[in-house]
Amino acid sequence: MYTTESLKEITKNDFDKAYQKAMFSRILSRLKGENNTLLSFDEVMRMLKVKNEVYIGLQCVRIEEIIGSEGRYNDFNKEFLPKRKNLRVRWQRVDEAHYQDIILPPIKLYRLGNAYFVRDGNHRVSVAKEQGREFIDAEVTEIKTSIPVTADMTRKDLVRIVVEHERQSFLDFTKLDQFRDVSMLWFTESGRYDLILQHIHGHQYYMGIEQNRPISFEEAEKDWYDKIFISIIEEISKEKINSRFPGRTEADLYLWIVLHWDDLKRRYGEGVQIKDAVKSYNENYGENPFIYYLKRIINIFLRRNQ
């Protein structure tokens, strides 16, 4: 049996250890250039093509398969260690229940594929994991999606799979790959192909006004690709700005530069040319390649000396 005072001291030490581990993990992740935050359920839901959801009841869930949270993804890291000191009071109460063998209500989870996201019970997951428990009782609601989600996924993995899915859906709809080389039409974030569709539809509208006739979608997408997309890609290549945006594709830069171009035209008039927008964007937002590669060298050194 524990006295009230001894229990408070034990749980205080438990929280302090967990908080310190979270702090060191955060520092190490930053040095390595890695992300150690929990996945945001809302962000994942925005990316995924959700079909429906169904309550599947009480389950015994492996804690290592819980990879995100609905509302507390900024409070805990991906190991469910507490990142904020203001979590102490609630965290210690849950920890006290563990030492007193008090059975707490099941947590609530969303299941997507083979992974879980906390709907309610983040502190209980954190304490259970810190105490070395492998499983936890949970009420589970399963969300069906056409995109496979696994427990070992990082945000980067998920984005890659979602982008591949979105790209294929875009090509299935537009058939652009049957008319043009689409090898450069790759993005590093989700939701971008919907923006490209908007660009093509907008181009279709203005073509119709300029030529005073109906323009088919196929004609518009070919003209958009030849006169706008490729023109901007060629300017990007000419200015050799890719190295100042490491990890990004020509298509990423295309979207950003179009937005920047529109902004410049609003500020300085329609006379602003695309080459001016490319140079301006590079000067204002490009990263120094030397600094970027120095960071990479440091990260490689740290990984090798772990």
Side-chain angles (χ1 to χ4, degrees):
M1 289 292 294
Y2 299 96
T3 66
T4 301
E5 292 304 317
S6 65
L7 193 56
K8 285 184 178 179
E9 187 63 25
I10 291 170
T11 58
K12 176 183 180 299
N13 290 336
D14 285 348
F15 180 85
D16 288 341
K17 290 177 184 176
Y19 178 77
Q20 288 169 6
K21 284 196 285 187
M23 182 175 62
F24 288 128
S25 176
R26 181 166 63 250
I27 293 171
L28 189 59
S29 295
R30 285 178 179 174
L31 289 172
K32 292 181 177 180
E34 297 176 350
N35 188 341
N36 79 332
T37 59
L38 281 173
L39 288 178
S40 163
F41 175 77
D42 290 336
E43 182 185 17
V44 171
M45 288 294 286
R46 285 194 295 270
M47 286 192 285
L48 298 180
K49 308 300 181 183
V50 175
K51 293 183 176 179
N52 53 54
E53 63 178 66
V54 58
Y55 176 73
I56 59 176
L58 190 63
Q59 307 279 313
C60 186
V61 175
R62 190 180 295 275
I63 293 176
E64 67 181 16
E65 294 177 350
I66 304 174
I67 64 172
S69 174
E70 182 177 26
R72 294 285 193 143
Y73 55 91
N74 285 324
D75 290 343
F76 300 88
N77 69 9
K78 66 181 180 181
E79 298 298 327
F80 268 94
L81 293 167
K83 294 164 59 178
R84 305 180 191 277
K85 287 187 176 181
N86 62 5
L87 302 174
R88 176 187 294 278
V89 174
R90 192 170 177 183
W91 198 96
Q92 286 188 216
R93 285 175 184 166
V94 175
D95 200 28
E96 287 176 9
H98 163 78
Y99 284 106
Q100 294 172 322
D101 293 324
I102 296 174
I103 299 176
L104 297 175
I107 65 172
K108 294 180 180 179
L109 298 175
Y110 290 112
R111 176 178 175 178
L112 285 82
N114 295 322
Y116 297 86
F117 294 76
V118 180
R119 183 178 181 183
D120 179 62
N122 294 275
H123 293 78
R124 280 168 279 172
V125 174
S126 179
V127 171
K129 194 161 189 178
E130 187 64 9
Q131 292 294 348
R133 288 178 54 186
E134 189 175 356
F135 295 92
I136 192 168
D137 290 331
E139 292 184 37
V140 180
T141 297
E142 184 173 19
I143 299 177
K144 301 290 186 180
T145 174
S146 57
I147 297 174
V149 181
T150 60
D152 60 347
M153 275 186 174
T154 62
R155 182 187 182 278
K156 184 177 180 180
D157 296 330
L158 184 59
V159 168
R160 176 180 52 78
I161 291 174
V162 170
V163 168
E164 289 173 356
H165 181 88
E166 290 177 346
R167 185 176 194 270
Q168 190 56 53
S169 297
F170 170 82
L171 294 177
D172 289 343
F173 176 78
T174 64
K175 306 294 190 296
L176 183 61
D177 55 331
Q178 297 180 15
F179 316 122
R180 297 293 186 269
D181 176 11
V182 295
S183 59
M184 289 182 292
L185 199 57
W186 277 100
F187 295 100
T188 59
E189 294 290 342
S190 64
R192 303 303 193 251
Y193 291 99
D194 287 342
L195 295 177
I196 294 297
L197 276 177
Q198 291 177 23
H199 285 203
I200 295 172
H201 282 301
H203 190 67
Q204 182 182 15
Y205 172 76
Y206 286 110
M207 280 183 70
I209 292 177
E210 290 175 0
Q211 300 184 26
N212 195 29
R213 65 181 179 87
I215 304 294
S216 70
F217 182 84
E218 181 179 319
E219 182 181 0
E221 66 176 333
K222 291 177 180 177
D223 197 71
W224 165 83
Y225 181 91
D226 295 336
K227 295 181 180 178
I228 300 180
F229 181 71
I230 287 300
S231 296
I232 293 177
I233 296 300
E234 287 175 349
E235 284 296 330
I236 291 171
S237 177
K238 187 186 300 182
E239 292 297 323
K240 299 179 181 179
I241 73 171
N242 301 65
S243 63
R244 291 178 63 85
F245 297 87
R248 298 301 185 174
T249 66
E250 289 92 344
D252 288 330
L253 291 171
Y254 159 81
L255 281 178
W256 296 335
I257 289 169
V258 165
L259 290 174
H260 187 62
W261 189 19
D262 287 341
D263 180 58
L264 291 176
K265 285 190 289 187
R266 282 194 297 270
R267 291 160 61 187
Y268 303 112
E270 292 296 322
V272 178
Q273 298 182 20
I274 186 57
K275 64 180 181 180
D276 301 320
V278 172
K279 289 180 179 179
S280 173
Y281 192 83
N282 182 32
E283 292 169 358
N284 284 280
Y285 303 104
E287 181 178 5
N288 187 317
F290 173 77
I291 300 298
Y292 172 75
Y293 286 109
L294 179 60
K295 289 179 182 177
R296 291 194 63 182
I297 292 170
I298 292 173
N299 291 337
I300 292 171
F301 175 80
L302 289 170
R303 290 193 187 99
R304 288 180 177 176
N305 289 276
Q306 272 191 306

